[in-house]
Amino acid sequence: MTWHVAEEDLRAYARGELAVPLLWSADTHLAACAECRGMLADVTDPVALDAGWERLDAELDAPRPGWLESLLTRAGIADHTARLLAATPVLRRSWLAAVVFLLLATVGAVRTTESPTLFLALAPLLPLVGVALSYGPVLDPTYEMSVVAPTHGFRLLMIRTLAVLVAGLGLNGLATLALPGYGLRALAWLLPALALTATGLALTPRLGPVLAPSLVGGAWIAVLLAAQTAQQTTADPLAPFTAAGQGVAGTVAALGAGLLFLLRDRFDLFSGSAE
């Protein structure tokens, strides 16, 4: 080999100051020349070299973001928020696959019975369960990380709730498309779903993330059973899915959202007391 990198160029290379095209030539030459690599080691600051190895080790040991976290980061969401969202249990493939299977089975049952009541009764419960699983020390395996994150407790709850609602309502909406014969009646689950979710969240600071949605879900089932008992003919829709019932559901959803806003500071107290 008749050419070697000059010592001054090696010093500039070690400091990261060597400009192209000499930088490209030095990279290629150093890969094949042990003599220049030895000289480079002599002129390199050992402190800076150790710091570089530490940065490399930290980068290699850092967990690789999943597809959801990468997608959220590219959409402009902060790294810590994207990681907290990606760690939400109900946004994982296993949960989403279970919901899809349940909805498909329900749609199949509706086509067999020729009545959308079963689907309309189940669909509002799925977002409620999803939101309940996304927040709280009992059900969320990443709860400790959420508590120490630089994010207001209520803001984190709303971020996760929005993500869960988008996923849950989106899957419900796709299932609704499989029931075209019922027209707008197949969408009668939407307002009850919002009402149940808002009420469950509003009761969470006082009753906890398990008891609150459990009571709300139980109340929904009780309402359906009472409506079925009072139903005069099997051809009539249940009361919650009539125009009056939809109005009540919309009112409850608005009241629940308002109460949730008024109690927003209690979610930080709730988080702190649960540690």
Side-chain angles (χ1 to χ4, degrees), residues 12-248:
Y13 184 91
R15 296 192 301 268
E17 299 175 355
L18 189 62
V20 296
L22 285 177
L23 175 61
W24 301 334
S25 300
D27 279 334
T28 303
H29 181 79
L30 287 169
C33 181
E35 180 181 347
C36 288
R37 289 198 300 271
M39 185 179 297
L40 176 64
D42 292 336
V43 300
T44 300
D45 182 5
V47 176
L49 184 61
D50 291 341
W53 279 113
E54 290 177 0
R55 290 195 301 270
L56 179 60
D57 289 340
E59 182 67 23
L60 292 176
D61 293 337
R64 299 299 178 188
W67 65 272
L68 179 59
E69 183 178 346
S70 300
L71 180 63
L72 294 172
T73 303
R74 291 179 181 178
I77 297 176
D79 292 345
H80 65 275
T81 303
R83 181 150 299 179
L84 289 173
L85 278 174
T88 304
V90 295
L91 293 182
R92 296 174 183 170
R93 290 187 179 94
S94 58
W95 166 262
L96 295 177
V99 171
V100 170
F101 176 79
L102 183 59
L103 288 174
L104 289 176
T106 305
V107 170
V110 168
R111 288 182 174 273
T112 301
T113 60
E114 297 183 355
S115 173
T117 301
L118 178 61
F119 174 73
L120 297 178
L122 173 68
L125 291 173
L126 294 179
L128 175 67
V129 175
V131 172
L133 291 175
S134 68
Y135 188 81
V138 178
L139 300 173
D140 182 10
T142 64
Y143 180 76
E144 289 78 8
M145 183 175 69
S146 304
V147 170
V148 300
T151 305
H152 191 279
F154 182 74
R155 180 174 180 270
L156 172 62
L157 174 66
M158 289 296 97
I159 289 174
R160 281 191 164 182
T161 297
L162 179 60
V164 172
L165 283 178
V166 169
L169 298 183
L171 292 176
N172 281 352
L174 291 177
T176 302
L177 296 178
L179 303 172
Y182 298 101
L184 293 178
R185 184 184 173 192
L187 289 173
W189 57 268
L190 180 56
L191 286 177
L194 296 177
L196 295 182
T197 302
T199 304
L201 287 174
L203 295 177
T204 293
R206 178 171 294 275
L207 301 179
V210 176
L211 183 58
S214 299
L215 290 178
V216 172
W220 170 247
I221 295 175
V223 168
L224 292 178
L225 292 176
Q228 188 173 18
T229 302
Q231 190 179 32
Q232 296 181 354
T233 64
T234 56
D236 295 333
L238 294 182
F241 309 124
T242 62
Q246 293 290 290
V248 172

